Each structure stands twice: as C-alpha cells, then as structure tokens.
Amino acid sequence: MITHFFEIVYHDFISFWGLNALVEIFRSGQYEKLLTLEGIKACIFPILPFLLLIEIIRAAVYKRFKIEDYKVPFLIFVFNRFVGRFISIAAISFCIGALSKYAVISTGFTWYWLVYGYIAWEFSHFIYHFLAHKVRLFWCLHASHHAPESMNLSVSYAHFFLEGPYADVIRTSICILAGVNPPLLFLIMFIDGTWGTFIHIGENIMKDARLGVLNRFILTPSHHRVHHARNPLYMDTNFCNLLNIWDRLFGTLQKEEHHTPVVYGVTRKINPTNFWDVYFGEIVFLVRDIAGAPGLKNKFLYLFMPPGWSHTGEHKTAKIMRRQALQENDLPEENDDEPEMMDLEKIPAV
Ligand SMILES: [Zn+2]
Ligand SMILES: [Zn+2]
C-alpha cells in the first residue's frame, strides 16, 4: 500500500518534470534513440519545467518571490491532474476516428505538409481561442487562465479542466477535416504545447520578451503578455500561438507599446489568490446574470454574447473598451475587420 503510494508520487514527479521519455531511454540503454525525433522530444520536454524552477529560484534570490504568484496555478494543476487527466486524450481520439473519412484532402508526413498542417492548426487555434474570449459560456472555461496578476511559467498550467477537451475538440476536428495527417498533428501539438508554455516566461527571467526581430514575424512572449493584459488597448488581441498570420489577417495583432506597460489579469473584481474565485467565479457571475435577466431571450443572450454584454444596453465588451483606448491613444482602428459575433440581438424576443 505504502509502496504503491510512493510509486504514484514518483510517477507524478517524473511526469511533472517531463522526464518519462528520458528515463525510459536511460533504463533501456538504447542511447541511439536520442538522435531520433522521439529522443529529441524527450530532451525538450524537461526544459520548460526546469525553466520554471530557475524562475522561482531567481525570484527567491532577488527576494521577489511571492507565493501568491504560484499558489493558484499550482492548485489548478493538481486539481486538473485528478479531474481532467484523460478527457482530452479521449476527445482527440474520438475526433480523429469520427472525422478522418470526411477530410478534404489526404496528406503525408513531409516538411511541406508540416507547413500546411501548422497553418491549419494555427487557424483552428485562433477559432478556439477567439470563441473562448467572445462567447461568455466559453469565457467561463478560459477565464481561469487569465486570472493571474503576474506572468510566470506556472500560468501555462492554469486552465479550467474542461477547457482542454473543448479546445482539443475544436482544433482536432478542424485539422482532421483539413486533412492533416494524425502523426503530423501530434508533432504539431508537441511544438505548439512547448511554445505555448514558453510564451508565459516571466519577467524575472526575460524582461523584454520581444525577441528582437522575431517580434515582427512570430508570436513572441511579449505578444502573449499583451494577450494577458487587462489594459483596454490590449484586450482581446493576439489569439495565435506561434505563427501570427491569423491575427494579422483578422486585425487582432497588437504589439507591446512602450507607453502602455502590461497590467495582467481580468477586468472583473477578483481575488487572484483564492482558488475557488479563480476557478469557478466566472460561472457564478454568469449564473447570477442569467437569473437576473428578464425574459428567455435575454437569458439565452447572456450565454452566447461576449463577456461585458448587458441586457440593459450598457455594454462593456472588450471591443468597445479597446476602440475607446485606440481613439484616446490616437492609433488607427486596425481592429475593425475583427470577425463580428453572430448578431443575436436580432433574434425576436421569446
Ligand atoms: Zn486567452
Ligand atoms: Zn496564456
């Protein structure tokens, strides 16, 4: 019984540090595997958890370590490990099995299909992430990730347990329908996951995260800091993960401006150190708004309109607030070709 307990702790420890594949290679003595794609992946997995450790140590050395910055993401990580562990894997397998036969083209495992697959993946990521910000119901799943009020690598673990499956169903379905070859899709997911964690690197380790000239071509940690900001100018921008093509195309790309330092967090009053508020607070507010709304139509609209929409007409959506900020800063309204949400207000009252 006790040995079983220690085995579980050992496995969780090894897998948190991303060491499973490396341990396996060292155990088997097949060191030549290190030169294969599997081997390279095995070496990359532990980098980000160890960077997180360095980030914490640096913060401690410089006496800037605040337990609140790490506590809630850590609690969420533990909670998700127990509750949401297998749902994502099941969702991905289901989508691949059900949709492969409807793929528009069939592709192979080559570099040019990797480029195609990555563009398709970024598109599917944009769709999932855009809806997560623009549909209140989906925002309830995504808001936990935006609650932390400082940026560090542990934030990349802070997700509501149902968000993974929701994101995976949308992204896998679109990619499989676009004909992305499943083994290639797993490679893309690996690159995306690694980069997706890296862009949460804290200011303790990297003060200016624009990455020089790269800031013009890809989505850098600086862009993702902007995405996590609650400054009106930055709200609901930079939905992509690595390639920023779709943000460019839909007018949602926003660079970090020197005159506007990023303020992290969400706009509602929240206690970022309270796990329950961070994890379930958004759902509680939605239920309250629905309960208080007059008529079925308004109740329904609260579910699907963007956060900040109000049945009284006093909307405080990110789009309205950003438009004001752009005018105040005298910046062009690049955001105007942002895809519009369904015009649900035109649905007749029930
Ligand atoms: Zn987001
Ligand atoms: Zn993030």
Side-chain angles (χ1 to χ4, degrees):
M1 180 70 189
I2 290 179
T3 35
H4 185 62
F5 172 76
F6 281 114
E7 249 173 51
I8 293 175
V9 172
Y10 170 76
H11 275 291
D12 267 28
F13 181 81
I14 294 290
S15 81
F16 176 79
W17 295 103
L19 291 166
N20 309 39
L22 264 186
V23 167
E24 207 40 59
I25 290 175
F26 285 115
R27 259 196 196 151
S28 65
Q30 294 170 307
Y31 299 107
E32 66 280 0
K33 269 197 179 169
L34 288 169
L35 296 172
T36 63
L37 182 61
E38 282 311 305
I40 294 167
K41 277 162 77 179
C43 295
I44 292 175
F45 278 129
I47 293 177
L48 287 160
F50 278 99
L51 261 180
L52 171 61
L53 180 68
I54 294 169
E55 202 178 74
I56 293 174
I57 293 172
R58 272 186 66 110
V61 169
Y62 292 107
K63 301 207 166 47
R64 282 196 299 243
F65 180 76
K66 282 194 259 132
I67 190 80
E68 307 88 70
D69 291 350
Y70 294 88
K71 189 185 92 182
V72 168
F74 176 73
L75 286 174
I76 290 178
F77 174 76
V78 172
F79 190 84
N80 288 355
R81 271 195 86 72
F82 287 105
V83 187
R85 207 169 183 175
F86 299 108
I87 308 179
S88 272
I89 303 168
I92 292 172
S93 322
F94 175 79
C95 291
I96 294 177
L99 298 172
S100 285
K101 51 182 176 291
Y102 303 111
V104 288
I105 42 170
S106 94
T107 65
F109 198 97
T110 60
W111 69 266
Y112 49 88
W113 286 125
L114 174 65
V115 175
Y116 169 78
Y118 217 100
I119 292 172
W121 169 265
E122 271 300 354
F123 176 69
S124 67
H125 181 82
F126 183 94
I127 297 290
Y128 131 70
H129 201 179
F130 183 82
L131 293 177
H133 279 254
K134 299 293 189 187
V135 175
R136 179 99 181 257
L137 181 65
F138 296 149
W139 173 245
C140 289
L141 309 182
H142 188 55
S144 316
H145 182 59
H146 281 270
E149 295 190 341
S150 72
M151 182 55 76
N152 60 68
L153 285 168
S154 76
V155 174
S156 64
Y157 295 106
H159 285 280
F160 191 77
F161 79 102
L162 285 176
E163 191 186 15
Y166 150 68
D168 286 331
V169 165
I170 294 189
R171 295 186 297 197
T172 311
S173 302
I174 292 178
C175 287
I176 292 297
L177 290 173
V180 181
N181 168 279
L184 201 63
L185 183 61
F186 292 130
L187 175 63
I188 292 170
M189 283 175 174
F190 167 72
I191 302 171
D192 178 83
T194 309
W195 188 258
T197 304
F198 172 69
I199 53 179
H200 294 92
I201 193 152
E203 280 155 31
N204 273 333
I205 285 205
M206 199 181 271
K207 183 120 195 70
D208 187 321
R210 290 177 174 86
L211 306 186
V213 73
L214 283 180
N215 207 43
R216 286 210 236 142
F217 303 106
I218 60 167
L219 196 128
T220 60
S222 161
H223 284 115
H224 200 64
R225 286 175 187 178
V226 165
H227 177 71
H228 274 266
R230 60 165 180 245
N231 316 56
L233 176 64
Y234 294 155
M235 281 165 74
D236 284 10
T237 58
N238 303 345
F239 294 107
C240 287
N241 201 43
L242 169 59
L243 309 175
N244 59 27
I245 35 173
W246 300 106
D247 276 316
R248 265 180 210 286
L249 210 77
F250 292 123
T252 48
L253 189 67
Q254 170 66 53
K255 67 177 188 324
E256 190 180 347
E257 303 283 0
H258 289 284
H259 57 70
T260 311
V262 169
V263 182
Y264 297 107
V266 288
T267 47
R268 84 171 166 91
K269 248 192 179 343
I270 192 172
N271 177 0
T273 60
N274 180 330
F275 169 77
W276 301 104
D277 196 6
V278 169
Y279 212 84
F280 297 106
E282 216 58 51
I283 299 172
V284 172
F285 276 91
L286 175 59
V287 171
R288 254 187 227 168
D289 281 345
I290 293 176
L296 258 181
K297 179 196 163 190
N298 283 320
K299 290 184 194 300
F300 179 76
L301 287 175
Y302 268 113
L303 278 178
F304 294 101
M305 290 307 276
W309 179 88
S310 165
H311 71 276
T312 60
E314 290 168 47
H315 309 310
K316 285 204 181 87
T317 59
K319 190 168 181 173
I320 293 173
M321 292 171 75
R322 182 157 194 261
R323 185 172 288 159
Q324 281 167 1
L326 285 168
Q327 279 162 1
E328 280 162 23
N329 283 282
D330 220 9
L331 292 167
E333 278 196 43
E334 303 160 272
N335 213 22
D336 251 15
D337 38 356
E338 182 183 313
E340 284 290 342
M341 289 307 303
M342 279 181 291
D343 208 349
L344 290 172
E345 282 185 274
K346 298 215 175 96
I347 296 173
V350 189

